[in-house]
Amino acid sequence: MNEALWQYLLESGAGLLLLYLFYALVLKRETCFQFNRFYLITALFLSFMVPLSQLPGISLWPPEPVEAEAVFEITEAMVTYEAVAAPVEESFNYWNLLYVAYGMGAVFFAGRFLGQLMQLRRFARQERVSFFLPNRAPVILTNGQFPTFSFWRYVFFDNSQSLTPEETERILQHEQVHIDQRHTLDVLLVSLAGIIFWFNPLLVLYKKALEQTHEFIADAQVAKVSGSNAYSSLLVKQVFKNADFPLGSYFFLHTSLTLTRIKMMKKLHQSPKLSRMLLVVPAWALFLTAVAAMRPVQAPEEKVSDVSTAKPENGPAQFPGGREALNTYVKNNFILPQVAFQKRKNPNDFVSVRANIEVEVQEDGTAVFRRTVDLDVQPNDAAVVTAVTQQFAALVRQMPKWTAAQKDGKAIASKEMISVSSVSGNFLTHNAYLEGRQQKTSVSSEAVAPQSTQTKPAEFPGGSNTMYHFFNSRFVVPQAVFEARGTSDSTIKFLRYIKAELSIATNGSVEQAKVIEIATRPFQTQQVSAAVEKEFLRLVRQMPRWTPAYENGKPVASTEKIVFAAITKIAGKETFEQAKKAQEKRAEVPLTPQKNTTPDGSPVFIAVEQMPEFPGGTAAMMKYLKENTVYPEDAKQAKVAGTMVASFVINSEGKVTDVQVLKKLHPSLDHAFAKSLESMPAWKPGTQNGKAVAVKYTIPYRVVGEAVANGTNEPNHNQEEKIYIAVQEMPVFPGGQAGMLQYLKQAVVYPANAKAAKAEGTATVSFVVNKEGNVTKAELLHGIHPSLDQSLLKAVQNMPTWKPGMQNGKTVRVKYTLPFKFVLPKEAK
């Protein structure tokens, strides 16, 4: 082990040194900043991972000839043994001392790293967010305690500096580049490597090189807008500021780096030399050669063949050309059926198909269509389902012959599962679709393990999501909860959390249920817990049969643990009888033991690197809602007008789940809006760190009263002009975000009665910036204290003229939402 460790440290250290020397001598002075960043990260990765690979050793020089040695055969008669008692000498193990020293160093640097993160977290929680940048990055004011820097998605801005609004805007743009390009990930990577390899000084050089490259990238982006000379003057102005948080990306770090940044800005007009960048390939090849040269050369082993012990190969069925060829075949030959286009309610609707196809490959290689699993079609019509199923059957029937699966040298029948997801292009007729085949189709496939070797746990029909829906849709809040509420008229949110064990028999039936843990809020009495447990056990008895667990291909009895949790809203005057009758329409919020998770335990994100996308974009989504939201007659007669707001979750498969109408207008209209959201076609799911994740999405939808009465949501000529929520160019306050913050600090007054009440917190207002740039329709969304709210509203109403928003080259009215943090003055605390 010790020899292997020394070998690893030698190879990784040589790689770090060799690749850093190449950077310092060849790439450091070039303006290919993004390429340099990629090179440094790749150099770290290769230096640490290549030594762990099975790269064979090589000899750079021919081996010296070795004389043949005489071989003697020793027999028992030639050997005698004499037992001699040798004194035992205890030697000091220096390796243990080295391991202890390494562990102490790693603990020290890890503690320092965590301490720095905790320091920043405490500071951020203490100061809180003051405003947001255009990319939604929160900005926290440091009040001179830290210079300006960014970390993760946050910007820490030193508002104690004497800066003009233009200089403030440039600094915030600089930090915004750091956030958009995720420079914090690079710094964290090299910091974690520095903890593990704290004894290697080369990592300090890599960290310094990465920080320098980050600044060059941000400088180049901002200098394109403001000009190199003006931006250089701003850098010089920051020379006497110090940096105290070593994990952030600072606008100013130290004097020598500032001078280097100014020099590099003067070279921005120069194109990087391609010849120097191409030298990276021989540099990496030299590194691999050096690692191989440091490894011992393996002597070739004599191959011994033993035909008698050879076993025939086993393996799955093979499509001609492999699995990629199979996926390509399905993608190129699957056609959306004509009936799907005919059954659309509106000719502008999308046509989509999602399904898993089960295919049996027989002993002679013939593919046979068996069934479709989890088929989901839009429009959802029986004729469309039949046509799609027939299309899948024809697709399988026309497949070329496979190479059958093998077991013990014999061909056997096997199963394949092919996943297909296809969405038509925007607003196509079937003929136009056939001409251009404008569709987005993704295909994946895998072999299904034969049941004889399959081992898997028991499963509720349809999976865990279906099981949670089963409980949520059937659970009736017990009468004991209403009795515990008493005469209170306030609306309550009743939570129940149940953890249980279910005994699943070999036939899939639930034989026994045992409640392990139960919790209820806000009522925690024994009577309420017993009533909730009784209701839960009632639902367990109504469960359909499960798919039993399998072990070595045979069904076996098993014990499965499940967690059921949900919240039910109970209106103030609602009775038990009313709640029982309305259980199918009651809005429930599914939960798991942790907050913000899907029923299967996966986290639900609010913001991710790549947000979910409706097929065709936002314009197509609004068009879909306009065409698919049906306005009931009672809503038309009531001339309902206003804005509805709904939230829903786009799961990792792109399906819309957990629809909730947050801001309601009319019961029947709210229901129609929710139904149109639930019927949406599959979205492109959001991604975080390259993986599809569940994302919560909030959408406003405006309804105009007179248009509703006419049966359409299109505004007429007498109606007010459209107010946008997001446009191509958002309105801009004079001086930008920094100028607006400075204005509000001066214009918002902290009244004496608010100080006496020690009122503080974040208030939120909305207003409309009209086509002339004037602020209109100021409205308080979230207040803190009456006098503080009025002070903020007055300041907003008296704002100077903005630069209006633009859409398609024209000025338009835009609704703007602004949070403002009130901090109690020190003398009032």
Side-chain angles (χ1 to χ4, degrees):
M1 175 181 175
N2 296 335
E3 292 180 1
L5 178 61
W6 274 120
Q7 183 72 23
Y8 175 82
L9 294 177
L10 178 64
E11 293 176 3
S12 62
L16 288 171
L17 178 60
L18 179 64
L19 297 178
Y20 181 81
L21 286 176
F22 177 83
Y23 166 79
L25 297 175
V26 180
L27 298 177
K28 185 175 182 180
R29 295 173 181 82
E30 294 296 318
T31 57
C32 50
F33 305 135
Q34 294 286 7
F35 182 84
N36 287 356
R37 178 191 179 193
F38 168 79
Y39 173 84
L40 289 169
I41 295 298
T42 305
L44 285 171
F45 179 83
L46 291 177
S47 298
F48 294 134
M49 299 307 295
V50 169
L52 297 175
S53 67
Q54 300 297 323
L55 188 68
I58 61 172
S59 177
L60 300 180
W61 295 273
E64 296 181 0
V66 181
E67 295 182 0
E69 296 181 356
V71 180
F72 296 90
E73 182 178 348
I74 303 176
T75 63
E76 294 183 2
M78 298 173 59
V79 183
T80 59
Y81 298 91
E82 181 178 359
V84 179
V88 178
E89 297 182 359
E90 295 183 3
S91 60
F92 183 79
N93 192 338
Y94 290 97
W95 280 103
N96 291 337
L97 181 62
L98 290 176
Y99 289 145
V100 171
Y102 169 78
M104 293 176 62
V107 169
F108 170 79
F109 286 99
R112 188 179 70 170
F113 176 80
L114 294 176
Q116 292 165 352
L117 292 179
M118 293 300 296
Q119 175 192 3
L120 183 62
R121 183 173 181 269
R122 285 195 301 269
F123 182 85
R125 294 184 65 180
Q126 177 182 351
E127 297 299 327
R128 299 183 181 176
V129 176
S130 295
F131 60 94
F132 295 86
L133 294 179
N135 66 345
R136 303 304 301 161
V139 178
I140 299 174
L141 302 182
T142 67
N143 299 309
Q145 299 182 51
F146 291 104
T148 298
F149 70 96
S150 61
F151 180 76
W152 204 250
R153 291 286 300 172
Y154 290 83
V155 173
F156 295 82
F157 179 69
D158 183 7
N159 57 330
S160 66
Q161 308 173 76
S162 299
L163 299 171
T164 65
E166 290 76 15
E167 291 174 336
T168 301
E169 192 72 10
R170 297 291 85 77
I171 293 176
L172 292 176
Q173 287 175 356
H174 178 98
E175 299 305 327
Q176 187 171 330
V177 175
H178 286 309
I179 292 173
D180 290 342
Q181 301 204 9
R182 299 175 179 83
H183 290 168
T184 300
L185 294 177
D186 300 355
V187 178
L188 290 176
L189 172 65
V190 74
S191 298
L192 292 175
I195 294 173
I196 301 173
F197 302 92
W198 58 265
F199 48 84
N200 194 331
L202 289 171
L203 291 172
V204 178
L205 299 177
Y206 274 85
K207 184 178 181 181
K208 181 179 178 181
L210 272 172
E211 290 172 345
Q212 189 180 66
T213 303
H214 292 164
E215 299 307 318
F216 292 161
I217 293 173
D219 290 343
Q221 293 286 341
V222 179
K224 290 180 181 179
V225 180
S226 61
S228 299
N229 293 332
Y231 192 67
S232 299
S233 301
L234 179 58
L235 284 176
V236 174
K237 192 173 181 179
Q238 303 295 311
V239 165
F240 299 102
K241 290 288 181 182
N242 295 321
D244 295 327
F245 183 70
L247 298 180
S249 296
Y250 283 84
F251 176 73
F252 169 78
L253 192 55
H254 46 70
T255 305
S256 61
L257 177 56
T258 302
L259 297 176
T260 305
R261 290 164 63 185
I262 294 174
K263 292 178 182 179
M264 293 303 292
M265 275 193 291
K266 294 180 179 180
K267 299 171 63 177
L268 289 177
H269 65 280
Q270 302 177 7
S271 299
K273 297 178 181 178
L274 181 61
S275 58
R276 287 178 174 259
M277 298 167 64
L278 292 177
L279 288 176
V280 168
V281 177
W284 286 343
L286 180 61
F287 162 61
L288 295 176
T289 303
V291 171
M294 287 187 284
R295 296 188 173 186
V297 180
Q298 296 284 343
E301 298 180 358
E302 294 183 4
K303 296 182 179 180
V304 179
S305 60
D306 187 359
V307 179
S308 62
T309 60
K311 294 183 178 180
E313 294 184 356
N314 298 330
Q318 291 290 330
F319 186 85
R323 200 157 294 280
E324 286 298 324
L326 169 63
N327 298 343
T328 303
Y329 167 84
V330 175
K331 187 173 183 180
N332 292 339
N333 290 277
F334 176 70
I335 299 176
L336 296 171
Q338 183 177 5
V339 67
F341 291 83
Q342 297 172 344
K343 291 291 184 178
R344 292 178 297 178
K345 295 180 180 179
N346 188 290
N348 292 333
D349 288 348
F350 292 90
V351 173
S352 66
V353 173
R354 295 168 63 94
N356 296 319
I357 313 171
E358 185 178 300
V359 178
E360 180 180 340
V361 180
Q362 299 179 342
E363 291 89 338
D364 62 352
T366 302
V368 178
F369 173 79
R370 289 305 180 196
R371 60 172 180 158
T372 57
V373 182
D374 298 330
L375 178 59
D376 181 18
V377 298
Q378 294 293 338
N380 190 2
D381 187 274
V384 178
V385 172
T386 302
V388 169
T389 304
Q390 292 174 351
Q391 173 70 13
F392 284 147
L395 187 73
V396 174
R397 188 167 57 250
Q398 296 168 8
M399 282 183 176
K401 283 203 172 185
W402 295 50
T403 301
Q406 300 288 317
K407 184 177 181 180
D408 298 332
K410 296 181 179 179
I412 60 171
S414 62
K415 291 183 180 181
E416 296 281 331
M417 191 67 73
I418 304 173
S419 300
V420 180
S421 175
S422 183
V423 181
S424 70
N426 294 0
F427 321 132
L428 295 175
T429 64
H430 188 254
N431 291 334
Y433 159 73
L434 292 177
E435 290 177 4
R437 291 292 300 278
Q438 299 179 36
Q439 68 186 53
K440 295 181 180 179
T441 303
S442 60
V443 181
S444 62
S445 57
E446 63 178 354
V448 179
Q451 195 178 42
S452 60
T453 60
Q454 196 173 30
T455 299
K456 62 179 183 179
E459 184 180 16
F460 187 88
S464 57
N465 286 344
T466 306
M467 181 181 67
Y468 288 111
H469 178 72
F470 170 85
F471 280 118
N472 287 331
S473 61
R474 290 167 172 78
F475 189 92
V476 178
V477 178
Q479 188 170 0
V481 175
F482 292 87
E483 295 173 352
R485 183 187 59 178
T487 59
S488 174
D489 289 339
S490 60
T491 299
I492 63 171
K493 294 181 179 179
F494 177 66
L495 177 144
R496 63 271 188 189
Y497 166 85
I498 302 173
K499 186 176 183 180
E501 284 185 352
L502 305 181
S503 298
I504 312 298
T506 55
N507 63 355
S509 61
V510 181
E511 290 189 336
Q512 186 178 1
K514 177 183 178 183
V515 175
I516 301 174
E517 182 181 354
I518 188 168
T520 58
R521 299 290 186 278
F523 312 118
Q524 308 176 47
T525 64
Q526 185 176 359
Q527 291 81 358
V528 171
S529 298
V532 169
E533 180 177 355
K534 182 179 179 181
E535 175 64 13
F536 172 76
L537 294 175
R538 179 186 72 84
L539 296 180
V540 170
R541 289 192 295 271
Q542 296 178 2
M543 272 187 168
R545 288 181 182 268
W546 291 48
T547 300
Y550 277 85
E551 187 172 334
N552 296 326
K554 297 180 180 180
V556 294
S558 64
T559 301
E560 303 294 331
K561 289 186 178 181
I562 64 170
V563 173
F564 164 55
I567 291 176
T568 299
K569 294 181 181 179
I570 304 177
K573 296 182 179 181
E574 186 177 6
T575 64
F576 170 70
E577 289 75 15
Q578 292 172 336
K580 187 174 182 180
K581 291 180 180 179
Q583 69 170 2
E584 294 183 358
K585 299 181 180 180
R586 184 174 60 240
E588 295 194 347
V589 185
L591 299 174
T592 57
Q594 298 179 349
K595 296 180 180 179
N596 297 326
T597 58
T598 59
D600 62 355
S602 303
V604 176
F605 292 82
I606 298 175
V608 290
E609 297 169 352
Q610 184 68 41
M611 291 295 288
E613 183 178 352
F614 185 88
T618 304
M621 177 177 66
M622 289 303 177
K623 190 173 184 66
Y624 165 85
L625 290 175
K626 183 180 68 174
E627 300 294 341
N628 290 273
T629 302
V630 179
Y631 296 96
E633 288 297 327
D634 56 345
K636 292 180 184 179
Q637 295 173 2
K639 296 184 179 180
V640 177
T643 300
M644 294 184 291
V645 179
S647 72
F648 48 89
V649 174
I650 310 296
N651 65 18
S652 58
E653 298 176 352
K655 293 184 178 180
V656 175
T657 62
D658 297 337
V659 176
Q660 299 180 51
V661 180
L662 304 178
K663 185 178 179 181
K664 303 180 179 181
L665 291 179
H666 187 277
S668 58
L669 186 57
D670 300 337
H671 178 72
F673 182 41
K675 187 176 181 181
S676 66
L677 294 174
E678 292 170 348
S679 302
M680 279 184 170
W683 290 47
K684 178 183 178 182
T687 58
Q688 183 75 6
N689 298 324
K691 295 182 178 180
V693 295
V695 181
K696 190 170 186 178
Y697 203 93
T698 303
I699 178 174
Y701 188 66
R702 186 170 177 233
V703 178
V704 182
E706 186 175 344
V708 174
N710 296 328
T712 175
N713 198 28
E714 288 290 334
N716 60 28
H717 298 291
N718 297 324
Q719 291 174 333
E720 202 172 12
E721 288 186 73
K722 183 176 182 180
I723 298 177
Y724 291 82
I725 299 174
V727 291
Q728 294 168 345
E729 295 184 24
M730 293 294 289
V732 179
F733 185 90
Q737 291 276 6
M740 180 171 63
L741 177 63
Q742 189 66 27
Y743 164 81
L744 290 174
K745 281 189 173 181
Q746 296 174 356
V748 176
V749 180
Y750 220 113
N753 59 348
K755 293 180 182 178
K758 299 187 182 299
E760 60 179 351
T762 301
T764 305
V765 295
S766 70
F767 51 90
V768 175
V769 180
N770 65 17
K771 296 166 66 173
E772 290 74 32
N774 298 322
V775 173
T776 62
K777 297 187 177 181
E779 178 185 1
L780 180 72
L781 300 181
H782 177 71
I784 298 298
H785 186 275
S787 57
L788 290 178
D789 303 338
Q790 289 301 318
S791 178
L792 178 59
L793 276 174
K794 184 177 180 181
V796 170
Q797 291 167 349
N798 294 331
M799 278 183 171
T801 303
W802 290 50
K803 178 183 176 182
M806 303 284 290
Q807 182 74 4
N808 298 325
K810 297 181 180 180
T811 57
V812 293
R813 303 196 308 161
V814 181
K815 190 171 185 178
Y816 203 95
T817 303
L818 173 69
F820 185 78
K821 179 183 177 185
F822 287 97
V823 180
L824 192 66
K826 294 183 179 179
E827 63 272 11
K829 293 184 178 181

